[in-house]
Amino acid sequence: MDDRPSTFPTSLPALRAAAREAGFTLSCEERTGNLLAVLAAHCPGGRILELGTGVGEGAAWLLSGMDDASQLVTIELDEAVQKVAREQLGSDPRVTFAAGDGGEWLQNYDGEPFDLVFADTWPGKFTHLERALQLVAPGGTYLIDDLDPQPGWPQGHGASVERLLTELEERQDFRSVRMAWASGLLMAVRSARS
């Protein structure tokens, strides 16, 4: 079976060209993107949080699955990188861009929880994990990627990944599954029970 996506966001070619021009190599893997679109489609009228906009490929996938009543908030530390996403996707009224440190944003956020949280950067995954998980609504999904060895991992990062996976799998308030697929994923769903 071929697991590559058969449909793509219309903005993807322009985002990929801009990423190449900027030398940005950390964009969302397309199978992960396709999963993001499916998860977003599963949340009609949903509230979605993306930690790590990059040039916007993940956001493009999310937007392609979202209905008109859904909202996406996407955070990026590097404003120059996020500028590409703003230029390509900023006219979509369903997306709100925030530039700044994701950890600070998580600590300062005091709004409603999210139906889907995609942590594609360190804050919300390797730092500020508890805060990110607090922002997942009951029945909501938390997704992380890049859990298989990646170029540029710091020395000893594999042990950090294993600690993170173990911590998530031991939680009683989430049910999680590891996926040895795409860049290595873990998806966790928050228990709807009180």
Side-chain angles (χ1 to χ4, degrees), residues 11-84:
S11 57
L12 208 55
L15 290 167
R16 287 179 172 172
R20 279 191 302 276
E21 187 176 312
F24 186 80
T25 60
L26 302 174
S27 289
C28 182
E29 198 271 347
E30 64 184 30
R31 291 174 296 170
T32 302
N34 198 35
L35 177 61
L36 290 171
V38 169
L39 291 172
H42 185 260
C43 303
R47 297 177 39 74
I48 300 170
L49 173 63
E50 178 187 38
L51 298 163
T53 311
V55 296
E57 287 192 37
W61 284 103
L62 287 163
L63 289 164
S64 75
M66 290 166 48
D67 68 6
D68 290 341
S70 294
Q71 293 293 310
L72 168 64
V73 176
T74 182
I75 319 300
E76 174 60 43
L77 178 63
D78 187 337
E79 289 186 58
V81 169
Q82 191 186 59
K83 182 178 182 223
V84 173

Side-chain angles (χ1 to χ4, degrees), residues 74-156:
T74 182
I75 319 300
E76 174 60 43
L77 178 63
D78 187 337
E79 289 186 58
V81 169
Q82 191 186 59
K83 182 178 182 223
V84 173
R86 287 176 184 265
E87 289 171 353
Q88 294 296 322
L89 306 172
S91 64
D92 191 319
R94 300 172 299 165
V95 64
T96 300
F97 292 95
D101 181 86
E104 288 179 18
W105 188 93
L106 286 167
Q107 289 303 119
N108 294 326
Y109 178 76
D110 65 353
E112 294 294 316
F114 295 90
D115 302 295
L116 171 59
V117 173
F118 175 45
D120 191 21
T121 189
W122 287 59
K125 190 185 323 186
F126 295 107
T127 70
H128 303 85
L129 174 63
E130 187 61 34
R131 181 62 181 142
L133 294 175
Q134 289 170 357
L135 295 181
V136 178
T141 302
Y142 170 78
L143 180 70
I144 52 177
D145 66 347
D146 300 334
L147 299 172
D148 286 338
Q150 305 291 314
W153 266 15
Q155 184 73 20

Side-chain angles (χ1 to χ4, degrees), residues 122-190:
W122 287 59
K125 190 185 323 186
F126 295 107
T127 70
H128 303 85
L129 174 63
E130 187 61 34
R131 181 62 181 142
L133 294 175
Q134 289 170 357
L135 295 181
V136 178
T141 302
Y142 170 78
L143 180 70
I144 52 177
D145 66 347
D146 300 334
L147 299 172
D148 286 338
Q150 305 291 314
W153 266 15
Q155 184 73 20
H157 187 61
S160 297
V161 170
E162 283 305 315
R163 279 191 301 276
L164 171 66
L165 294 174
T166 299
E167 181 178 345
L168 287 166
E169 290 171 337
E170 289 177 349
R171 293 187 69 101
Q172 298 300 305
D173 53 343
F174 281 83
R175 184 71 180 253
S176 65
V177 61
R178 292 185 190 195
M179 294 179 274
W181 175 76
S183 64
L185 307 173
L186 180 134
M187 183 168 60
V189 174
R190 185 179 196 109

